[in-house]
Amino acid sequence: MSELESWRAALAWLGWQHRQAEQMVRALETELTATRARRPPPKPPDWKLETARTASGLRGVRVHIGDCSMDDGRTISRGEARRALAERIEPCSYYSPENALGMAT
C-alpha cells in the first residue's frame, strides 16, 4: 500500500468516525428534547416579596402571589408572607395576597 493510499484509508476511516459522532449527537439531542418535553415546568413559588434597595439595605415593599407577573421578587414562605403583611408591607393590588392568606381586613 502506497503512502497516498494509506492517507486515503485514514481519511475514509476518520470520515466514518465523524459521521458516527454526528449521528450520536443528533440522537442524544432528540432524546434530550423528548425528556424536556415530558418534564412539567417548575411550579411557581407560592409567595414572593418585592424589595427595594435603601441606604440601610433591602426592605420589603410588596407581597405578591407566586405567579403574579407584576414583580420577580424573591421567594418567601406562607408564614413569611403573613408576617410581612402583618408588619404593614403592602399587598399586591392586582392579586390581593391578603385574601389568599385569609388576612383580608
Side-chain angles (χ1 to χ4, degrees):
M1 182 186 277
S2 71
E3 187 176 356
L4 178 59
E5 289 172 329
S6 294
W7 280 107
R8 284 188 176 147
L11 189 58
W13 171 252
L14 291 172
W16 178 84
Q17 283 186 321
H18 185 257
R19 288 187 300 279
Q20 293 297 309
E22 284 180 329
Q23 183 178 355
M24 182 57 77
V25 166
R26 281 192 300 275
L28 290 170
E29 287 173 340
T30 300
E31 182 182 323
L32 182 61
T33 300
T35 300
R36 285 183 179 156
R38 286 190 304 264
R39 191 177 309 148
K43 181 181 169 267
D46 291 332
W47 310 100
K48 297 186 292 188
L49 181 64
E50 179 182 344
T51 57
R53 192 172 308 276
T54 66
S56 59
L58 291 177
R59 69 171 184 81
V61 175
R62 213 169 274 111
V63 176
H64 296 270
I65 290 177
D67 58 356
C68 176
S69 59
M70 299 308 292
D71 188 73
D72 293 332
R74 70 175 181 87
T75 300
I76 58 174
S77 69
R78 180 181 181 85
E80 289 171 316
R82 290 180 62 86
R83 225 175 354 270
L85 291 170
E87 293 171 359
R88 302 274 187 232
I89 292 179
E90 183 180 329
C92 170
S93 58
Y94 294 99
Y95 293 105
S96 304
E98 71 279 15
N99 291 334
L101 290 165
M103 298 178 69
T105 54

